[in-house]
Amino acid sequence: MKVLAQKLLALISESLGAQSSCIEETVGEIYQNITVSYYPPCPQPELTLGLQAHSDMGAITLLIQDDVEGLQVYKDGDWMTVKPLSDAVVVLLADQTEIITNGAYKSAQHQAITNAHRARLSVATFHDPAKTRKISPAAQLIGESSPPRYREVVYGDYVTSWYTKGPEGKRNVDALLM
């Protein structure tokens, strides 16, 4: 999964006219975490969320789902359910990629909902910078016509803030907008 994450970040860099290594060099060494989430059936799914609305704090998240719907992404003011596909990997861009691309790519606000009749299982691999890494818009992507839109942040401080305040159903990256 780490190789896939690196390839995707390289393609994003190239799509912005930067060198393929742009985002990965800004992120530095990539740390991979894996989380397995189990959501049991819930007889009244309208009364609970499986996971509250948030955007992931790292660079990129790759998610494998079973065949039970539950992942929702926020798009154009509405929550949209992501239909699970067998043998597919869901790509969620995270906050640090938004900062590095100076907002050209947005982190994905998402949540998990429960199902009344079936359990759901997902496996997420998070790809994050080192906690000591300073993250800011990539030098290749800023200039006179595109000034930095985000303040520099030490990734570990960002993580601490994320866990201290919690996602509060919104994108914490917005606090870094200039």
Side-chain angles (χ1 to χ4, degrees):
M1 292 297 255
K2 185 175 181 179
V3 171
L4 176 58
Q6 290 168 313
K7 287 182 180 181
L8 290 168
L9 293 174
L11 290 170
I12 292 168
S13 295
E14 290 175 1
S15 77
L16 296 171
Q19 293 177 334
S20 62
S21 60
C22 176
I23 294 174
E24 192 169 352
E25 286 176 358
T26 306
V27 168
E29 184 177 358
I30 291 178
Y31 290 83
Q32 181 176 292
N33 302 282
I34 298 174
T35 300
V36 178
S37 297
Y38 174 77
Y39 304 93
C42 179
Q44 295 179 295
E46 68 280 358
L47 299 180
T48 188
L49 275 177
L51 185 62
Q52 71 177 328
H54 68 285
S55 57
D56 292 338
M57 60 186 121
I60 190 169
T61 302
L62 304 177
L63 180 75
I64 299 171
Q65 306 183 83
D66 62 12
D67 64 341
V68 178
E69 290 182 353
L71 174 65
Q72 293 185 326
V73 294
Y74 194 68
K75 182 175 183 337
D76 300 328
D78 290 314
W79 286 104
M80 303 176 71
T81 300
V82 176
K83 196 151 203 67
L85 300 173
S86 61
D87 301 324
V89 176
V90 176
V91 177
L92 297 167
L93 294 183
D95 295 346
Q96 304 315 299
T97 296
E98 180 170 335
I99 294 167
I100 294 166
T101 65
N102 205 28
Y105 281 86
K106 300 289 186 196
S107 59
Q109 188 176 4
H110 56 285
Q111 66 184 10
I113 58 171
T114 57
N115 184 292
H117 307 289
R118 294 181 63 201
R120 178 173 177 266
L121 185 70
S122 66
V123 179
T125 60
F126 302 93
H127 301 84
D128 305 336
K131 298 281 194 289
T132 57
R133 191 72 177 194
K134 291 180 181 176
I135 302 294
S136 62
Q140 296 178 44
L141 302 176
I142 58 174
E144 202 170 291
S145 63
S146 59
R149 297 182 57 223
Y150 298 86
R151 290 182 283 115
E152 180 180 83
V153 65
V154 173
Y155 182 62
D157 295 343
Y158 189 83
V159 171
T160 299
S161 171
W162 198 95
Y163 281 114
T164 301
K165 293 187 216 172
E168 299 173 346
K170 63 184 182 208
R171 298 164 5 103
N172 288 349
V173 71
D174 292 340
L176 296 175
L177 282 166
M178 294 173 45

